[in-house]
Amino acid sequence: MFEPSYYRRCQCKGPLKDKEGNPVLNGDGSPKIGDIGLTCPKLGKGHGTWYFYFELEPAEGGKRQRVRRGGFARQEDAKKKAKELYDAAMAGTDVLSDETCGDFFLRWIKSKKSLARTTRHGYEEHIHNYLIPHLGHIKRRDLKVRHLDRMYDAIEKENAERVLHRLRVDQLQKERDEAHCAWVKAAGKKEERRAARRAFLDANAVLREGRKGLRKVTSPATMHRINDTLSSALSWGIKSEQAFARNWAKLVELPPVTRPKPLVWTPERVEHWKRTGEKPGPVMVWTPELTGEFLDFVKDDWLYELWHSFIFLGPRRGEMAALPWTEVSTDALWLRISQQIVEVAYQLYGEAPKADSVRTLSLSLESADNLISFRAKQEQKRKEWRDAYVESGRVWTHENGEALHPDWISRRFTRLVELSGLPPVRLHDLRHLAATLSLLAGNDIKVVQEKLGHSSRQITSDTYTSVLPEMMRAEAESVMAVVPRDVPRQVRTPLEIPETAWKGDIAVFFAHGARRSGDKWAVGAQTQPDADLLGMITLTGRGQDDAANAAVKWIRDHCAANDLELVRVENFNDRYAEDQRADFSLTRFTIARTEAPALDGWTLPTGLPPAASRATRRAPSRRRKAA
């Protein structure tokens, strides 16, 4: 039964009295001074605070359980808190525990026996770097949403300080680099070079000192992961021992996180990168043409077959580092991903991947031939290295047979991309590329999901459907192209697209409009500003929008009449300065041929084509003997 008792007390001190009201004396006969909070004569309105206590059911062995709290300015606040604690106690929460959140988090992580190594490492980092410093001193029973809000506010404040620190370090590095350039340029000038060298050494020392304590900014994505760790701990506490009334982590509002979408290295983006060195986004994907250039560049690299596998199979680097020859069949054309190498503080550990990531990948004939070729290269190196050769049993190794470190694979790939001169992509971006190429080949999203080892089709659809130019035909060209205006026009020169304008089945050209006089406009189609006209129209229009709309209708009609497909329309009218927009317009068109081989005269094939490469590929024993 809920029967709390409420009373007032203060922190005053004075002469103590016993239960009969007699003074309590020290050994020398003087009055004993102590806490008189319950008997203070000043207790009343404006003096002292409210306390309460109530009894719970006796614990095991009949031990008394009394809940006591205090420090409330009003009796109503004490009543509200007493009812809250009683309800929590009736729900099973341990309201008597004095355990701190820090002790609870350490107890929780110790109890999690089945966590993957990398998951445990991430949880421990969050606990020691964020949760304990900000929440560790709070009693577990007192934890509320406001404490979590304060933690994230403190993290954002630290972020501002770290950004300023990083900017300062960037400035010091710039000054150090400038001092180094001055030292190099002073070659041959003894006194000037000595002074420049001293300036460089001083600047370098200042930079080293400035870098001390430099820490990464805690991104919104990291905050969400910290909150996930906290939520997991609180959920465990609620389920196992009713340690919390609610999962407070689920009530926190954090900055939104937008997962970066893969972008394709289109010619325009490549040109911008070459000019400025800036990447359009953190996740980039090569086009098939750029992919072919990279494979051609690395064809003589020791690990060419590995790069080929990353591009066409889409594995994770840890999965390829752990792949043993026992899980590969070049005859049956498959390899099985059943283990991975994970890195924790640059230490390597082998463990099974998540259940959804255990999968069997089908190999193309070319991929299988690459594996046979790499095995032959390993055999050759085994003979050359003799006893020094490391028998790791792995498919992908260094030339001495030593297994590859996942981080080394990433760094080697980055270096090869730099040497190739191609626009930069990360090793992990090759997973995006493999998914995109598979979708471009017409494979279902479910096939791509199983190939990449994702737990759901939605993850694959949300993450990997980056769009290559060849896949953009099904998308709306632009608002202007979707709702074109019918502007009267006269065709002065019929549009003819020469064969030189086609790159495979794609042609790109511009429609440039210019005001002649009054409302009279002329629009000409060209592949380049200085190229010959492909065709021209004239019209009467009110401005550049009418000229652009007339061009869209002209090109759309031409495509419909010549069995072509209008892939994309891009309006560049806003590129003109304000004082030029009344007199010029510019629109870019991408069109595609839609012819496909007819089935007339064909009988449906039932076997392999004549002279199929598979006939030459079978006979592995002869190939291995030749190798």
Side-chain angles (χ1 to χ4, degrees):
M1 181 179 244
F2 181 48
E3 295 179 348
S5 297
Y6 302 95
Y7 58 93
R8 220 186 243 279
R9 67 169 297 164
C10 63
Q11 303 298 320
C12 295
K13 298 190 180 295
L16 298 178
K17 295 182 179 181
D18 57 20
K19 293 181 179 180
E20 285 74 24
N22 300 318
V24 178
L25 304 177
N26 291 316
D28 59 358
S30 62
K32 188 173 183 177
I33 304 300
D35 186 358
I36 59 170
L38 293 174
T39 59
C40 179
K42 298 179 183 178
L43 282 179
K45 188 175 182 180
H47 185 77
T49 55
W50 285 95
Y51 285 72
F52 69 83
Y53 69 87
F54 60 85
E55 300 287 340
L56 296 176
E57 293 181 0
E60 188 175 341
K63 184 178 180 181
R64 187 179 187 182
Q65 294 192 105
R66 172 176 286 183
V67 178
R68 188 191 304 272
R69 298 287 189 277
F72 300 96
R74 302 182 306 166
Q75 187 178 16
E76 289 75 12
D77 295 335
K79 290 181 178 180
K80 183 178 179 181
K81 185 65 176 179
K83 184 65 167 65
E84 177 186 328
L85 288 178
Y86 179 77
D87 291 343
M90 292 301 99
T93 303
D94 183 4
V95 297
L96 294 173
S97 173
D98 287 328
E99 182 181 40
T100 64
C101 287
D103 292 336
F104 169 76
F105 294 141
L106 294 176
R107 183 162 61 87
W108 165 70
I109 195 65
K110 186 177 180 180
S111 71
K112 304 295 285 184
K113 305 297 184 184
S114 60
L115 288 178
R117 196 181 303 272
T118 50
T119 304
R120 176 178 295 279
H121 180 69
Y123 283 174
E124 289 175 344
E125 280 193 337
H126 296 160
I127 289 172
H128 292 292
N129 294 340
Y130 300 98
L131 300 183
I132 287 181
H134 294 286
L135 305 176
H137 62 286
I138 300 172
K139 288 185 178 180
R140 187 192 72 192
R141 69 190 186 201
D142 296 331
L143 184 67
K144 295 292 184 291
V145 174
R146 65 177 182 272
H147 300 119
L148 310 190
D149 289 335
R150 290 172 191 163
M151 176 179 71
Y152 293 116
D153 289 343
I155 290 174
E156 290 186 342
K157 183 179 179 181
E158 291 173 359
N159 278 343
E161 296 171 354
R162 293 175 186 180
V163 168
L164 292 176
H165 189 184
R166 191 166 294 276
L167 291 174
R168 174 58 179 162
V169 169
D170 290 343
Q171 180 61 31
L172 293 176
Q173 186 163 344
K174 182 179 178 182
E175 293 173 358
R176 191 278 309 270
D177 293 343
E178 290 175 351
H180 183 265
C181 290
W183 178 25
V184 172
K185 290 179 180 178
K189 305 172 184 177
K190 187 174 181 180
E191 293 301 324
E192 184 178 343
R193 183 173 175 81
R194 182 180 290 115
R197 179 178 181 275
R198 173 45 52 195
F200 165 71
L201 293 176
D202 291 343
N204 200 41
V206 172
L207 175 61
R208 283 199 306 271
E209 186 66 26
R211 280 177 172 163
K212 292 182 178 179
L214 184 65
R215 296 184 62 185
K216 294 192 301 183
V217 172
T218 304
S219 67
T222 301
M223 289 188 195
H224 280 264
R225 287 193 289 271
I226 294 169
N227 205 59
D228 290 342
T229 300
L230 179 58
S231 178
S232 179
L234 299 186
S235 294
W236 177 83
I238 293 172
K239 292 177 182 178
S240 63
E241 54 196 43
Q242 286 292 325
F244 304 94
R246 301 179 68 178
N247 188 336
W248 307 114
K250 293 184 178 180
L251 304 179
V252 175
E253 291 189 15
L254 295 175
V257 176
T258 302
R259 193 169 188 173
K261 292 288 186 180
L263 298 177
V264 181
W265 276 113
T266 59
E268 296 79 10
R269 289 168 178 158
V270 173
E271 180 62 32
H272 177 77
W273 167 73
K274 288 181 178 178
R275 189 172 62 254
T276 65
E278 297 176 356
K279 286 178 62 176
V283 182
M284 300 301 299
V285 177
W286 283 327
T287 60
E289 292 76 15
L290 294 174
T291 304
E293 290 181 31
F294 175 75
L295 289 174
D296 291 340
F297 177 79
V298 298
K299 64 183 179 181
D300 295 326
D301 186 71
W302 165 255
L303 293 173
Y304 164 77
E305 294 82 0
L306 174 60
W307 313 130
H308 187 282
S309 298
F310 273 120
I311 289 171
F312 290 102
L313 300 179
R316 300 175 179 88
R317 66 177 191 175
E319 294 170 345
M320 295 306 268
L323 183 66
W325 279 113
T326 55
E327 293 295 293
V328 175
S329 174
T330 55
D331 290 334
L333 298 177
W334 58 261
L335 65 80
R336 180 172 173 76
I337 302 295
S338 59
Q339 53 188 294
Q340 64 177 342
I341 297 294
V342 297
E343 174 196 342
V344 178
Y346 211 76
Q347 295 296 316
L348 298 183
Y349 303 92
E351 63 181 37
K354 295 178 181 178
D356 298 304
S357 295
V358 176
R359 61 200 186 277
T360 299
L361 301 180
S362 297
L363 300 176
S364 66
L365 298 177
E366 184 176 357
S367 294
D369 285 339
N370 282 337
L371 287 167
I372 293 173
S373 175
F374 193 77
R375 178 178 277 173
K377 291 197 298 185
Q378 282 183 330
E379 290 294 337
Q380 181 63 32
K381 292 299 179 182
R382 182 179 283 105
K383 295 176 182 177
E384 295 177 5
W385 285 79
R386 297 184 181 180
D387 293 340
Y389 190 82
V390 179
E391 297 292 349
S392 65
R394 301 277 169 78
V395 172
W396 310 110
T397 63
H398 292 285
E399 295 186 28
N400 66 343
E402 186 178 348
L404 300 178
H405 191 293
D407 189 58
W408 183 91
I409 298 175
S410 295
R411 288 185 282 109
R412 177 59 180 167
F413 175 76
T414 300
R415 180 57 177 158
L416 289 173
V417 173
E418 290 175 353
L419 293 173
S420 70
L422 293 170
V425 298
R426 304 170 306 161
L427 180 66
H428 192 75
D429 293 342
L430 297 186
R431 276 174 65 79
H432 306 283
L433 176 59
T436 305
L437 294 176
S438 185
L439 292 169
L440 185 60
N443 292 323
D444 186 82
I445 193 74
K446 182 64 176 177
V447 175
V448 179
Q449 172 204 332
E450 294 176 352
K451 178 178 183 177
L452 298 176
H454 285 160
S455 59
S456 72
R457 179 179 181 139
Q458 188 65 38
I459 294 176
T460 310
S461 179
D462 290 346
T463 308
Y464 289 102
T465 51
S466 52
V467 185
L468 293 171
E470 293 88 340
M471 296 177 64
M472 297 179 69
R473 301 180 185 180
E475 293 197 358
E477 300 138 17
S478 68
V479 174
M480 181 188 69
V482 172
V483 189
R485 302 295 298 277
D486 190 6
V487 180
R489 66 188 187 282
Q490 297 80 41
V491 178
R492 297 301 183 185
T493 305
L495 181 62
E496 293 185 9
I497 305 175
E499 194 62 33
T500 55
W502 293 93
K503 304 297 183 184
D505 289 333
I506 301 292
V508 180
F509 57 89
F510 294 83
H512 176 221
R515 186 191 299 273
R516 285 181 167 179
S517 61
D519 294 337
K520 303 297 183 182
W521 284 75
V523 178
Q526 297 170 280
T527 56
Q528 296 293 336
D530 56 349
D532 295 335
L533 280 177
L534 306 180
M536 187 177 75
I537 61 173
T538 58
L539 63 131
T540 300
R542 292 167 296 178
Q544 61 175 193
D545 286 342
D546 281 351
N549 280 319
V552 171
K553 191 68 169 63
W554 176 37
I555 303 304
R556 189 185 292 278
D557 291 347
H558 176 82
C559 290
N562 293 273
D563 197 23
L564 300 174
E565 186 174 0
L566 183 56
V567 176
R568 193 177 187 189
V569 177
E570 298 166 275
N571 190 332
F572 295 122
N573 286 346
D574 59 348
R575 302 290 182 91
Y576 288 103
E578 288 289 344
D579 58 345
Q580 294 180 317
R581 292 186 181 181
D583 300 315
F584 300 101
S585 74
L586 185 64
T587 311
R588 181 165 62 190
F589 297 88
T590 303
I591 64 175
R593 292 168 168 159
T594 58
E595 299 94 340
L599 289 175
D600 298 340
W602 276 77
T603 56
L604 294 179
T606 57
L608 292 173
S613 59
R614 187 162 182 99
T616 59
R617 172 158 149 27
R618 293 290 94 186
S621 59
R622 292 198 301 274
R623 297 188 65 155
R624 283 193 283 268
K625 188 177 294 185

